[in-house]
Amino acid sequence: MNVAHEVNLLVGEIERLGTRNADGQTSVKFGVLFNDDRCANIFEALVGTLRAAKRKKIVTFDGELLLQGVHDNVDIVLLQN
């Protein structure tokens, strides 16, 4: 899979699992995304895909690296729908 394709899949999964915030943006907790069975089957390297999407300004989240457990409550916000 190429990065652009994985980022597009990530957007779909954030829309599926996330909720709209007060600004009308879709957000999902990292723990929800990481622990979802469908995401686990799609993404070989979820954190790498998230970082690529952040570099392309498709999503935003606090920090550079997200780790399971430690960062489960970090919001991943979809900037582009």
Side-chain angles (χ1 to χ4, degrees):
M1 281 192 185
N2 65 32
V3 175
H5 179 68
E6 284 204 7
V7 168
N8 286 336
L9 291 174
L10 177 65
V11 168
E13 294 305 305
I14 292 171
E15 289 174 342
R16 179 177 69 87
L17 295 169
T19 56
R20 294 262 178 197
N21 63 19
D23 297 328
Q25 296 173 312
T26 303
S27 67
V28 64
K29 300 285 186 194
F30 175 67
V32 171
L33 198 61
F34 191 91
N35 291 315
D36 182 71
D37 288 337
R38 184 168 158 183
C39 287
N41 289 331
I42 293 173
F43 302 108
E44 193 171 309
L46 176 61
V47 174
T49 304
L50 283 167
R51 290 184 71 194
K54 186 176 183 179
R55 277 194 306 272
K56 293 176 183 238
K57 302 195 184 321
I58 294 170
V59 301
T60 189
F61 52 86
D62 291 335
E64 284 297 313
L65 182 65
L66 298 174
L67 302 172
Q68 181 188 14
V70 178
H71 299 110
D72 282 354
N73 288 321
V74 171
D75 285 316
I76 298 167
V77 180
L78 187 59
L79 299 175
Q80 301 175 3
N81 285 348

